[in-house]
Amino acid sequence: MESIYYVMCWACHRRCRHCYEDRFRPYVRNELAGVLAQAKANFPRVFDHLPERMTYLDRNDPAPDGSLPEKTSRIILSGGEALLDPVRQEVTYPVIEQLAARYAGRGGIKIIVQTTGDLLTERILDDLLSRGIYMISVASLDNFHVGLEGEAKQAAFKERLTRMFEAAGMHASGLAHTKRNWHEEDGPLYSFFGASPESWIGKIWPRGRGWLNDLSKATLDDNFCNRWSGGLGFLEHGFNGSEVSIEPDGAVYPCCIKTKRPLGNLVEESLVEILDSLKDEPAFQAINAGAPARMGLAHGWSEADFVERSKTLTPAGRPYQNLCIGCDAFHEDVLGPVLEGARARRFARRATLAPA
């Protein structure tokens, strides 16, 4: 894969209004122990089912002889909040260490830690850099994060962290997050982004608290599937543009936005096997092409049908239409049995290959 977005743990110190997942929130006592236990138990099993090499062939950068260069992939470690104590000590640091060890001698891996940044200290920064992280991506420069409302507060926050980063020998990424090749720069790097109106997530996905709070401004013209963190290219593991998203329970999705049903679960089976089992399914070929309206053509849904099923009302009663809604409806009505059938075939195939 070129990229994996790994949500390690649900715990967060914030409950932002625009968040795409309601499970990202503060947890206390037994609840916190539960989400930590899930994260700690599952990440080694997830790692067992990641590709043997985290590299990819770049079709956009062929050599003079036409061969494709092999480049090092990235994994973006997120939450929740990756730097929240005790998540940082019990999950994030062990995850970084084990990922680095797993891919040492196999082409390596570029590890990015995504954080709100407000918990970051010089000591934590030293801890991260000493473990070989490639980038820190600060994802809170917007008006939705309490305490960072307005340009003045955001500028001061960015300036404070920038001084800390540069004093530690890091430098700013020169590429925007909308460029899939931003990880090809030499690290260690830092970057900033947020759900500001001009960003690729500025319209707010129709998910989680953002949806419940009626914040999504997306229309039918906003095709989240055909852009950064969408499903575009997810099936084409081994090549540039391939990316999937993984949740703490091991569920894997073709996009960060998350389809209504997961493709499979990495606690129990291989990512490559899951993707290969779906590569001939027209619905997933449509997601892979960034053309979700074509998902149902092999199942009796015309593009016009899909667009019609993309209509709904927001929780506040406002008319709303976006392709993600149609994708949800198609998963709910049609793709459940397709995914279950693919899973059953994968397990049956492994059973026949298992030694007696």
Side-chain angles (χ1 to χ4, degrees):
M1 302 294 297
E2 179 182 352
S3 179
I4 290 176
Y5 188 87
Y6 183 25
V7 174
M8 298 179 292
C9 185
W10 297 120
C12 189
H13 60 308
R14 290 175 175 267
R15 197 190 293 264
C16 296
R17 294 186 304 122
H18 73 306
C19 189
Y20 72 97
E21 175 56 74
D22 191 48
R23 285 174 289 183
F24 295 148
R25 57 181 175 83
Y27 293 83
V28 296
R29 294 183 289 278
N30 291 340
E31 276 195 318
L32 179 58
V35 296
L36 276 171
Q38 179 190 53
K40 291 166 64 177
N42 287 341
F43 81 75
R45 300 167 71 185
V46 168
F47 291 176
D48 285 344
H49 293 117
L50 294 181
E52 288 299 309
R53 294 175 68 85
M54 276 297 289
T55 59
Y56 65 98
L57 300 179
D58 192 346
R59 293 168 293 195
N60 292 336
D61 188 24
D65 65 358
S67 63
L68 301 179
E70 183 183 34
K71 297 183 178 180
T72 303
S73 305
R74 64 177 173 259
I75 186 163
I76 303 163
L77 303 178
S78 181
E81 173 52 65
L83 301 184
L84 181 68
D85 190 34
V87 175
R88 183 181 72 257
Q89 294 285 354
E90 298 187 33
V91 180
T92 303
Y93 290 168
V95 163
I96 294 170
E97 292 162 3
Q98 292 187 34
L99 278 172
R102 174 179 173 84
Y103 290 107
R106 300 189 194 179
I109 189 170
K110 293 185 174 178
I111 300 173
I112 293 91
V113 173
Q114 185 172 297
T115 174
T116 57
D118 54 342
L119 301 182
L120 193 62
T121 64
E122 291 179 1
R123 173 63 183 273
I124 293 173
L125 181 57
D126 287 344
D127 288 344
L128 293 170
L129 292 172
S130 70
R131 287 170 170 81
I133 63 130
Y134 169 74
M135 175 188 260
I136 293 177
S137 182
V138 178
S140 57
L141 285 193
D142 55 57
N143 293 327
F144 294 109
H145 285 83
V146 175
L148 291 174
E149 302 92 339
E151 292 183 5
K153 289 182 179 178
Q154 291 168 26
F157 178 70
K158 184 176 181 179
E159 181 182 358
R160 178 178 68 81
L161 288 181
T162 296
R163 287 198 303 269
M164 187 189 305
F165 292 144
E166 296 191 346
M170 304 175 72
H171 55 278
S173 171
L175 297 175
H177 273 257
T178 50
K179 303 280 188 184
R180 282 192 178 269
N181 64 333
W182 52 261
H183 64 295
E184 294 182 17
E185 304 166 286
D186 292 330
L189 298 169
Y190 65 89
S191 67
F192 296 90
F193 75 100
S196 52
E198 70 277 5
S199 76
W200 87 101
I201 54 172
K203 292 292 183 74
I204 306 299
W205 299 332
R207 294 289 187 269
R209 287 194 296 275
W211 176 251
L212 294 175
N213 289 323
D214 204 34
L215 295 177
S216 179
K217 306 302 180 187
T219 68
L220 196 61
D221 292 331
D222 295 298
N223 183 355
F224 292 118
C225 195
N226 194 36
R227 61 176 70 175
W228 169 253
S229 290
L232 186 67
F234 85 97
L235 284 175
E236 299 168 42
H237 62 83
F239 293 95
N240 61 299
S242 54
E243 182 180 60
V244 295
S245 178
I246 306 169
E247 289 192 341
D249 65 354
V252 61
Y253 296 87
C255 56
C256 288
I257 306 165
K258 294 190 295 189
T259 46
K260 191 73 171 179
R261 297 174 183 267
L263 306 174
N265 193 295
L266 299 192
V267 166
E268 60 185 14
E269 52 182 334
S270 155
L271 173 59
V272 170
E273 287 184 9
I274 292 170
L275 295 178
D276 284 348
S277 74
L278 300 173
K279 66 182 180 181
D280 295 326
E281 168 55 48
F284 295 106
Q285 291 175 343
I287 293 176
N288 185 73
R294 300 179 61 83
M295 287 176 66
L297 295 183
H299 296 271
W301 283 39
S302 68
E303 291 190 52
D305 292 332
F306 192 97
V307 168
E308 182 64 26
R309 292 298 300 274
S310 297
K311 294 178 180 178
T312 190
L313 296 176
T314 68
R318 176 171 58 91
Y320 183 91
Q321 190 174 20
N322 181 260
L323 295 171
C324 286
I325 303 300
C327 180
D328 288 349
F330 188 71
H331 272 78
E332 196 70 32
D333 290 4
V334 177
L335 283 187
V338 173
L339 287 164
E340 284 301 317
R343 180 178 182 273
R345 289 190 295 273
R346 293 193 301 268
F347 275 79
R349 179 178 178 274
R350 284 198 296 277
T352 62
L353 297 175

